[in-house]
Amino acid sequence: MYSISIVTPTFNSMRTLDDYMQAILSQSYPHDKLEIIFADGGSTDGTLEKIASYASSCGIPVSVCPNPLRTGEAGKAVGVKKARNDIICLLDSDNIMPDEGWLLRMMRPFDEEAVIASEPIEYTWRREDSVINRYCALIGMNDPLCMFTGNYDRRCLVTGRWTEVRREERDCGDYLSVKFDPKMIPTIGANGFCIRTAALMSHFSGDYLFDIDVLWEIMQQSPDVRIAKVKTGIVHLFCPDVRTFCRKQNRRITDFLFFSEAKGRTYPWSKISKGRIILFALCCVTIIPLAVQAFAGWCRKHDGAAWAFHVPACWITLWVYGLGTIRGLFVRKQADRTGWKQ
């Protein structure tokens, strides 16, 4: 039984915190092998009081560290520096373990020596979730642009694949043991990502933990390491409504441009095919290809309301990313988190 440090950034996370904690407490994994480390960015909505309540009664060691830089990446950096267990599980405050055996399944691949990390192969679709959350679960990503670039890392019901990045994979029953070409890896590293603490900490330093960058650096030095894609899901309560979707897309492009320039990102985003990005823009303009994609997904999973959001999701992404990129030509600054809530 591996000991596990669950590292979670929070910032006004009351909307999802009860579901997050109840899912952990329901795990069949021995609770004496767990600790939960929250890195809080200055919550004012009752998040800290709720965490304190659980800490006093849940039977699992719970600690809270201040995250003065407020972003999720900064919170992860703060949290992993406090972790002392065998495995670090990067679990966002809007991630819900879908069943009581989830942690057990995520730990089994680590018995394979070459495996340094494990990650669910899909997002869990639930009828009770919002239309946008169901849509994101069905396409296997929160950003539809990734479907066009092909570097997504969860099962997509439009393409029928979990990624289009070149790889060698071996089916081990409950998980796929995957070896990537070090020249390009998918956007692995978040939403239920588990990694050996020694492997992570040997390649990480600084105030921000960009998970995909750390994994990229590990693979450059150790190209034979393997990642396990476990045949399970993770619930991601990403977004309750269109307004929040727009806000989060704007934050994504704003922070990406800022940190790419100011903080020395290492993952080779420049290698993403520009032709595929242009194709995304053309599909948004002509609409018909997006409708065909939505129909293909609907054939695999009948959820008409969720698939109807595919066209608006692509339009919003094109518009927000386009404006953000133009704005970034003149000024690049970190996204404003004033008044932020989960």
Side-chain angles (χ1 to χ4, degrees):
M1 287 289 185
Y2 301 95
S3 58
I4 307 171
S5 297
I6 301 172
V7 174
T8 301
T10 54
F11 187 19
N12 293 335
S13 302
M14 276 292 288
R15 180 175 69 89
T16 59
L17 195 56
D18 278 329
D19 288 342
Y20 162 96
M21 282 299 303
Q22 290 302 319
I24 294 176
L25 295 177
S26 72
Q27 291 299 297
S28 58
Y29 204 86
H31 287 192
D32 62 355
K33 292 289 186 180
L34 305 178
E35 68 169 345
I36 305 173
I37 302 170
F38 291 102
D40 189 76
S43 294
T44 58
D45 68 338
T47 293
L48 294 174
E49 292 78 5
K50 177 69 71 173
I51 292 174
S53 175
Y54 277 110
S56 66
S57 62
C58 72
I60 298 174
V62 175
S63 59
V64 181
C65 311
N67 170 23
L69 296 177
R70 306 181 86 178
T71 73
E73 293 80 12
K76 291 176 185 178
V78 169
V80 301
K81 291 174 182 176
K82 301 290 185 180
R84 297 293 180 266
N85 287 342
D86 303 324
I87 306 293
I88 290 173
C89 175
L90 298 175
L91 194 73
D92 289 346
S93 60
D94 57 3
N95 291 153
I96 314 300
M97 298 176 183
D99 57 71
E100 65 182 16
W102 189 86
L103 275 174
L104 279 170
R105 296 182 69 183
M106 295 300 296
M107 292 303 108
R108 285 174 186 151
F110 289 104
D111 292 340
E112 183 180 338
E113 186 176 352
V115 170
I116 63 162
S118 66
E119 182 181 73
I121 201 168
E122 63 187 8
Y123 287 115
T124 301
W125 178 92
R126 303 187 306 180
R127 173 62 69 182
E128 66 267 27
D129 289 335
S130 72
V131 167
I132 297 178
N133 285 334
R134 300 202 313 266
Y135 164 73
C136 291
L138 293 172
I139 66 167
M141 61 203 84
N142 307 317
D143 184 352
L145 176 59
C146 290
M147 186 168 62
F148 288 82
T149 58
N151 64 334
Y152 51 91
D153 68 317
R154 307 290 166 108
R155 182 174 289 122
C156 173
L157 293 191
V158 173
T159 66
R161 306 175 185 177
W162 68 268
T163 190
E164 296 176 39
V165 174
R166 188 187 325 179
R167 68 207 179 274
E168 176 265 308
E169 65 184 40
R170 182 174 66 245
D171 194 329
C172 297
D174 199 40
Y175 66 94
L176 302 177
S177 179
V178 185
K179 178 182 175 183
F180 291 103
D181 183 338
K183 295 178 181 179
M184 179 57 67
I185 61 176
T187 53
I188 283 178
N191 299 306
F193 179 75
C194 301
I195 185 168
R196 297 184 192 271
T197 303
L200 175 60
M201 298 311 295
S202 65
H203 291 81
F204 165 68
S205 62
D207 295 329
Y208 296 89
L209 194 162
F210 295 99
D211 31 61
I212 184 62
D213 289 6
V214 172
L215 197 56
W216 165 260
E217 291 165 11
I218 291 173
M219 290 186 176
Q220 301 317 294
Q221 296 185 26
S222 305
D224 291 329
V225 299
R226 305 184 76 89
I227 307 297
K229 293 295 293 186
V230 183
K231 297 176 183 179
T232 185
I234 186 80
V235 177
H236 189 191
L237 301 179
F238 173 66
C239 179
D241 51 47
V242 173
R243 181 179 179 181
T244 306
F245 183 81
C246 295
R247 176 167 54 90
K248 290 193 171 186
Q249 293 298 77
N250 182 65
R251 182 192 64 176
R252 192 194 307 273
I253 187 63
T254 301
D255 279 354
F256 172 76
L257 294 173
F258 173 76
F259 286 109
S260 294
E261 180 177 273
K263 301 297 179 181
R265 298 293 303 272
T266 58
Y267 180 77
W269 292 103
S270 60
K271 291 186 178 180
I272 299 296
S273 170
K274 303 301 186 295
R276 288 191 170 213
I277 296 175
I278 294 172
L279 176 62
F280 169 69
L282 291 174
C283 288
C284 289
V285 170
T286 57
I287 303 177
I288 293 176
L290 302 183
V292 171
Q293 290 174 342
F295 179 73
W298 180 85
C299 290
R300 291 188 170 101
K301 180 67 175 180
H302 292 357
D303 185 346
W307 288 115
F309 186 64
H310 182 54
V311 173
C314 292
W315 282 349
I316 292 169
T317 300
L318 177 65
W319 180 254
V320 172
Y321 283 11
L323 288 180
T325 301
I326 293 171
R327 185 173 62 245
L329 296 175
F330 303 97
V331 57
R332 294 193 179 187
K333 61 180 181 179
Q334 192 173 337
D336 184 10
R337 265 117 175 128
T338 303
W340 185 268
K341 62 180 179 179
Q342 180 57 54

